[in-house]
């Protein structure tokens, strides 16, 4: 009998009890999947129709595997994704991937656009140019912007997207990814501030040495590299742009009697 290979008869029994016109039930019979429907019930018996849906189930399972693979890769990125219709009105969709117990899900959040997404006080000219360009179906890449926050903290993103089209081929909007770059922005700012402080300190040192008519040199004993202050060049009367420091050139500056 065909039913001998059914692994779980619970759904079949429930289908038979439901009577004629009952919804389809997919059963695994041996290595195949069969969809059964109650066609009629008479004289104490039940007429079932069956169709092999194994190819369909195989395609579905393959799609589910591919979807999960995509979700796993998306979840590892830690970015957010956005869908921006051509005429967004006041609300757009943001998608946040979340991984838990080895499975990745994507949470959708509806937000006001652009109020919740873009701080208009940060680079207003660049933001205005970006938003004005969204009427054209052209990809945009690395659009740098700041996100407004309730607590006033800084959050920066780079957004990239490609246009998408409806079934008729009409431009429908943009779909893309936003990468948070807050840590990079803050680190780059700190580096620039540090470099500025170093330049100021060097300027102050040069001024102090010039006033006191003293100079300084620094030598790396491992590499032999040597650095002179500007005042050192001035005191010995050579041009720092043209003077080449070698043992011979330095010794030539010393008076023969010394």
């Amino acid at each position: 009998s065909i039913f001998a290979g059914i692994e779980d008869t619970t759904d079949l029994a429930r289908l038979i009890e439901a009577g004629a016109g009952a919804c389809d039930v997919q059963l695994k019979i041996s290595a195949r999947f069969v969809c059964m429907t109650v066609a009629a019930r008479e004289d104490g018996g039940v007429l079932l129709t069956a169709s092999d849906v194994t190819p369909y189930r195989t395609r579905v399972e393959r799609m589910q595997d591919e979807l999960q693979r995509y979700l796993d890769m998306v979840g590892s990125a830690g970015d957010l994704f956005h869908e921006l219709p051509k005429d967004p009105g006041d609300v757009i969709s943001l998608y946040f991937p979340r991984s838990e117990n080895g499975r990745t899900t994507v949470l959708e959040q509806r937000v006001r656009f652009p109020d919740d997404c873009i701080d208009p006080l940060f680079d207003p000219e660049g933001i205005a140019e970006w938003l004005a360009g969204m009427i054209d179906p052209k990809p945009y890449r690395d659009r740098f912007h700041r996100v407004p926050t309730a607590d006033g903290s800084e959050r920066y993103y780079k957004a990239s997207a490609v246009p998408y089209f409806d079934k008729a081929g009409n431009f429908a909007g943009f779909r893309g990814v936003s990468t948070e770059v807050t840590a990079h922005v803050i680190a780059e700012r700190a580096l620039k501030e540090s470099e500025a402080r170093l330049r100021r300190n060097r300027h102050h040192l040069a001024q102090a040495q010039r006033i006191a008519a003293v100079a300084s040199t620094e030598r790396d004993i491992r590499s032999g590299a040597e650095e002179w202050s500007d005042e050192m060049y001035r005191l010995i009367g050579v041009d720092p742009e043209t003077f080449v420091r070698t043992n011979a050139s330095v010794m030539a500056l010393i008076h023969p009697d010394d």
Side-chain angles (χ1 to χ4, degrees), residues 35 62 104 130 146 169 214 216 241 243-244 248:
C35 180
R62 186 180 298 118
T104 300
W130 175 21
R146 184 170 65 194
V214 297
S216 62
E241 298 296 329
F243 181 70
V244 179

Side-chain angles (χ1 to χ4, degrees), residues 103-244:
R103 303 293 289 181
T104 300
T105 57
V106 177
L107 305 178
E108 179 181 1
Q109 180 180 352
R110 303 283 286 173
V111 298
R112 294 177 303 160
F113 182 84
D115 298 356
D116 293 341
C117 310
I118 300 174
D119 186 347
L121 300 179
F122 179 80
D123 188 20
E125 293 183 359
I127 296 302
E129 178 186 358
W130 175 21
L131 296 180
M134 286 185 173
I135 62 174
D136 296 324
K138 298 179 180 179
Y140 58 81
R141 185 171 182 81
D142 293 337
R143 287 293 187 171
F144 183 56
H145 62 284
R146 184 170 65 194
V147 176
T149 58
D151 59 3
S153 60
E154 295 181 278
R155 291 182 63 189
Y156 298 91
Y157 283 85
K158 280 187 177 181
S160 301
V162 295
Y164 70 95
F165 302 85
D166 60 21
K167 293 182 178 179
N170 300 313
F171 171 52
F174 293 92
R175 289 172 177 153
V177 59
S178 295
T179 304
E180 185 169 4
V181 292
T182 305
H184 175 74
V185 171
I186 294 176
E188 188 176 65
R189 181 195 305 159
L191 177 60
K192 291 181 178 179
E193 292 174 351
S194 178
E195 291 174 342
R197 286 194 300 270
L198 179 59
R199 287 193 296 269
R200 289 195 300 269
N201 291 339
R202 286 183 172 178
H203 176 69
H204 293 158
L205 176 60
Q207 285 186 318
Q209 288 189 344
R210 188 174 184 86
I211 293 171
V214 297
S216 62
T217 65
E218 182 177 338
R219 183 179 181 86
D220 189 325
I221 61 174
R222 288 177 297 181
S223 66
E226 190 172 16
E227 182 177 353
W228 289 5
S229 67
D230 291 342
E231 187 64 13
M232 185 69 175
Y233 289 99
R234 195 187 71 82
L235 287 177
I236 62 179
V238 296
D239 186 349
E241 298 296 329
T242 59
F243 181 70
V244 179

Side-chain angles (χ1 to χ4, degrees), residues 21-156:
C23 296
D24 297 343
V25 170
Q26 292 187 18
L27 303 173
K28 186 174 183 181
I29 302 177
S30 299
R32 308 195 67 79
F33 288 92
V34 176
C35 180
M36 290 189 173
T37 304
V38 175
R41 177 191 295 273
E42 57 185 27
D43 299 330
V46 176
L47 175 63
L48 299 176
T49 60
S51 57
D52 188 351
V53 294
T54 304
Y56 166 77
R57 283 290 297 261
T58 301
R59 289 194 297 270
V60 169
E61 290 175 356
R62 186 180 298 118
M63 289 178 59
Q64 290 173 339
D65 290 341
E66 291 177 355
L67 174 61
Q68 188 58 49
R69 186 182 304 113
Y70 165 76
L71 289 175
D72 290 341
M73 290 186 289
V74 166
S76 66
D79 299 322
L80 66 89
F81 301 84
H82 60 270
E83 183 175 76
L84 182 65
K86 179 182 177 182
D87 301 310
D90 295 329
V91 179
I92 66 170
S93 294
L94 300 180
Y95 300 91
F96 299 84
R98 294 290 182 268
S99 296
E100 185 176 356
N101 298 326
R103 303 293 289 181
T104 300
T105 57
V106 177
L107 305 178
E108 179 181 1
Q109 180 180 352
R110 303 283 286 173
V111 298
R112 294 177 303 160
F113 182 84
D115 298 356
D116 293 341
C117 310
I118 300 174
D119 186 347
L121 300 179
F122 179 80
D123 188 20
E125 293 183 359
I127 296 302
E129 178 186 358
W130 175 21
L131 296 180
M134 286 185 173
I135 62 174
D136 296 324
K138 298 179 180 179
Y140 58 81
R141 185 171 182 81
D142 293 337
R143 287 293 187 171
F144 183 56
H145 62 284
R146 184 170 65 194
V147 176
T149 58
D151 59 3
S153 60
E154 295 181 278
R155 291 182 63 189
Y156 298 91

